[in-house]
Amino acid sequence: MSALSNAVAQVVTQAGETAGLDGDALKSANGASSAGFAYGLAAIGPGIGIGYLVGQAVQAIARQPESAGQVQTTMFLGIAFTEALALIGFVVFILLKFV
Amino acid sequence: MTVALSTQPLSILAAGGEGGGLKFPPVENLVKWPAWFLEGTVFEFNKIAFINFVAFIVPVVLFFIVSRKPAAVPRGLQNLMESAIDFIDVQVIKPAIGPDGKRYLPMLLAMFFYIWIGNLFEIIPTAHMPANARIANPLILAIVALVMFIGVGVKHHKLGYFKEVLFPPGVPKALYILVTPIELLSTFIIRPFSLAVRLFANMLAGHILLVTFSVLCITLWGFQILNIVNLVAFPMLVAFTGFEFMVAFLQAFIFSLLTAVYIGGALHPQH
Amino acid sequence: MLFAAINLLAAEGGESAAVNPVFPDSAGELVWGAIFFFLTWILLRYVCLPPLLKAREDRELQVQSDYEAAAAAEAAAEQVRRDYETTISEARLQAARMVEEVRVTVDAERGRQVLAVEQEIAEQRQAAMAELDSARTAALGQIVGDVADLAAAAASKVVQAPVDAAAVRPAVDDVVQRTGGSK
């Protein structure tokens, strides 16, 4: 992955040089491109995880509708923990993009 | 525009600094608000503080009205507020702490309402700013949760609580080199951090999402032929508003549920 | 190339921003957030919730006691029903016993009456039989005398000499005995 982001940074640097950007602008351009990567990669795992989790919860509820309340609470807890990764990715995105 | 764009579609979206085009507002316009009064002091009062004030005054006044004359048979407003108490009691305290968690009801109720009403301002017209999209509120609430669960653990298990957490029983002694730093990190640092970031990032993401679609709709309105995209974009904006309504509730619920889970874990560390 | 162009656009947009959207740059939000949250907590904890929670607890107790009262009433009703049932069954038993007694009495009375009637009938029949027997004996005796006289007369006619009736009598008796005695 670092090879890819290096390549992207190279492209950005070249484009910036042709456009005559100074160092700060180049830095934020690089930050923006890596921000996109950061969030995109951070979304993969939690996406799979939440999908699997909710699917299993639905199956459990379908098999035992009387335990739906408990399964739902546990499901929300699991989603909260799984989702945290994606949200940290989002925060990293914001930090890379705007700082 | 300093860069001459070689691609045609993009040139429409970036049609220049003066002549319209898709102008996404800089991020500080989305989340930073000017001071209303007391500018420059630590009591600087802005829109976020005002939303916090509403989130404080609404539940307090509602509960105060109800609690002045609680009827034996609840009707109307009392029914509504009691169903809120029941919700926290049955959905949060019972599964997370157990029957001995009744005494944390006021804190969890305050937390739930404070977060929920702060979140609801994300979709209330003319406000359109969730108070929790700034890190301040989630940070405070997460610190309250951290202090609370450590306090509960120390109160019920004295200093044995830290031993239970850092040196969990049933682990081979050699593994403590590995387990103890992980537990220290995950319990006392990652927990409050993830609590705060979860709430904050969810609300900020929702806010940016709504802003993006609003800006898109407004911009497209100005282009004759591209207006038809509004047929898709505007319903999406409405749908996301409904989605954010749900997220506002869900985040408040999850924040109080996780706080309750952490308190329950400190109360009964063996589980 | 397109990618880089987008990034450059974004970079230009964020060029003026040395601002960090994540962390607050003024303490005001933190201070007011903390003040309002703790106010919410404290007011709910000490002012707003206690009467409401007490009302809920009272209601729960009320419901509990009502429930217990209902359970007690139900038990009482059950007791009453059981008493009623025992009374009913006792009455039924008594009635059955009385019916049985009456039946026994009536049976005995009937037996007695039937016996009396039968006895009477037997007596009457016996009397009738005795009367009949005596009448027959009388008639038979008369017939024997007549027949003996007739036989003596006939015999004297046959032997041309007087025959003593008394001498004939045993033979006549014998004949009557063999013919008439068999009825």
Side-chain angles (χ1 to χ4, degrees):
Chain A
M1 203 42 73
S2 70
L4 181 56
S5 54
N6 277 346
V8 170
Q10 227 163 27
V11 171
V12 172
T13 314
Q14 275 173 6
E17 273 165 4
T18 37
L21 291 185
D22 56 349
D24 274 356
L26 265 181
K27 194 178 156 232
S28 57
N30 267 327
S33 69
S34 42
F37 273 107
Y39 183 65
L41 292 176
I44 295 173
I48 296 169
I50 292 176
Y52 183 74
L53 211 158
V54 175
Q56 294 289 315
V58 167
Q59 215 169 47
I61 292 173
R63 284 198 181 152
Q64 279 181 303
E66 65 274 8
S67 69
Q70 207 182 349
V71 171
Q72 243 164 24
T73 307
T74 319
M75 180 186 82
F76 279 132
L77 276 178
I79 288 177
F81 286 126
T82 317
E83 193 191 35
L85 296 173
L87 293 173
I88 290 169
F90 174 74
V91 172
V92 169
F93 164 80
I94 293 282
L95 288 174
L96 283 173
K97 174 81 174 65
F98 295 111
V99 177
Chain B
M1 274 293 111
T2 47
V3 185
L5 290 160
S6 55
T7 41
Q8 211 51 28
L10 265 177
S11 64
I12 295 172
L13 292 178
E18 292 83 34
L22 182 61
K23 275 186 289 189
F24 194 81
V27 76
E28 71 259 36
N29 284 14
L30 303 184
V31 292
K32 296 192 81 66
W33 301 92
W36 290 6
F37 50 82
L38 291 174
E39 192 174 355
T41 65
V42 289
F43 293 104
E44 189 178 305
F45 198 93
N46 59 9
K47 186 171 173 177
I48 305 294
F50 176 72
I51 293 171
N52 285 342
F53 172 71
V54 175
F56 145 70
I57 204 73
V58 167
V60 166
V61 164
L62 287 182
F63 274 109
F64 186 70
I65 291 171
V66 166
S67 70
R68 265 190 322 163
K69 255 195 221 163
V73 182
R75 308 176 56 237
L77 185 62
Q78 191 186 351
N79 220 341
L80 196 71
M81 300 327 277
E82 287 209 11
S83 62
I85 294 179
D86 275 337
F87 171 72
I88 295 293
D89 196 12
V90 173
Q91 298 286 330
V92 174
I93 292 179
K94 205 155 280 176
I97 305 180
D100 49 351
K102 283 263 187 203
R103 47 194 311 255
Y104 307 110
L105 179 77
M107 188 198 74
L108 293 170
L109 202 64
M111 225 171 218
F112 176 77
F113 271 102
Y114 194 68
I115 296 171
W116 187 34
I117 294 173
N119 284 353
L120 275 185
F121 275 85
E122 182 182 9
I123 57 165
I124 290 176
T126 73
H128 279 312
M129 175 67 207
N132 298 313
R134 305 291 291 146
I135 195 78
N137 279 355
L139 201 63
I140 290 160
L141 293 165
I143 289 171
V144 167
L146 174 74
V147 170
M148 199 69 193
F149 80 74
I150 292 178
V152 168
V154 170
K155 185 181 167 193
H156 283 84
H157 306 281
K158 303 287 175 277
L159 288 177
Y161 170 66
F162 292 105
K163 190 176 163 289
E164 286 269 356
V165 170
L166 295 180
F167 303 96
V171 176
K173 282 224 162 34
L175 274 184
Y176 280 143
I177 302 168
L178 207 62
V179 168
T180 304
I182 291 175
E183 287 290 328
L184 181 72
L185 202 69
S186 78
T187 305
F188 299 114
I189 294 168
I190 304 234
R191 268 186 188 183
F193 176 74
S194 71
L195 262 185
V197 164
R198 181 177 301 114
L199 178 57
F200 157 74
N202 257 302
M203 295 333 285
L204 181 61
H207 183 54
I208 290 179
L209 191 69
L210 292 187
V211 168
T212 307
F213 269 87
S214 306
V215 168
L216 184 68
C217 286
I218 292 168
T219 312
L220 287 175
W221 192 249
F223 291 102
Q224 290 84 358
I225 189 68
L226 282 178
N227 232 340
I228 51 168
V229 181
N230 259 336
L231 288 177
V232 182
F234 187 70
M236 280 297 272
L237 177 61
V238 175
F240 275 126
T241 305
F243 177 71
E244 288 305 322
F245 179 71
M246 192 192 78
V247 166
F249 173 81
L250 208 61
Q251 288 309 314
F253 171 56
I254 283 184
F255 198 102
S256 17
L257 181 65
L258 281 174
T259 308
V261 165
Y262 294 154
I263 291 176
L267 210 55
H268 322 283
Q270 58 275 14
H271 302 324
Chain C
M1 197 55 213
L2 176 66
F3 193 73
I6 294 171
N7 280 333
L8 286 176
L9 274 181
E12 257 209 347
E15 206 165 20
S16 63
V19 62
N20 186 336
V22 175
F23 297 106
D25 57 345
S26 81
E29 285 169 15
L30 275 168
V31 170
W32 284 114
I35 288 174
F36 286 132
F37 173 67
F38 284 111
L39 271 180
T40 316
W41 183 1
I42 290 165
L43 285 179
L44 282 187
R45 170 75 181 78
Y46 290 105
V47 180
C48 296
L49 279 181
L52 201 57
L53 291 180
K54 192 174 173 306
R56 282 165 65 83
E57 206 166 297
D58 285 352
R59 184 187 313 145
E60 218 151 273
L61 286 178
Q62 177 87 39
V63 167
Q64 186 72 25
S65 68
D66 281 3
Y67 186 77
E68 275 163 11
E74 203 174 339
E78 177 68 16
Q79 186 60 40
V80 166
R81 200 178 61 82
R82 218 173 289 140
D83 285 356
Y84 167 77
E85 263 175 12
T86 48
T87 315
I88 286 278
S89 64
E90 264 174 20
R92 203 167 279 155
L93 217 64
Q94 199 172 356
R97 210 169 51 229
M98 275 161 76
V99 165
E100 184 66 18
E101 268 173 16
V102 168
R103 207 171 57 79
V104 167
T105 321
V106 166
D107 269 4
E109 180 69 14
R110 197 183 57 179
R112 208 165 50 75
Q113 282 183 3
V114 164
L115 212 65
V117 168
E118 273 177 356
Q119 215 165 8
E120 201 177 333
I121 286 171
E123 270 169 18
Q124 281 178 6
R125 198 172 58 185
Q126 219 162 6
M129 285 296 258
E131 202 175 331
L132 200 65
D133 270 358
S134 66
R136 196 172 58 182
T137 319
L140 216 56
Q142 205 178 345
I143 283 172
V144 168
D146 286 354
V147 170
D149 287 349
L150 205 58
S156 64
K157 284 272 179 59
V158 171
V159 295
Q160 295 298 320
V163 174
D164 191 12
V168 182
R169 188 67 178 254
V172 172
D173 269 353
D174 185 41
V175 171
V176 169
Q177 218 35 243
R178 266 192 281 132
T179 56
S182 66
K183 291 174 197 173

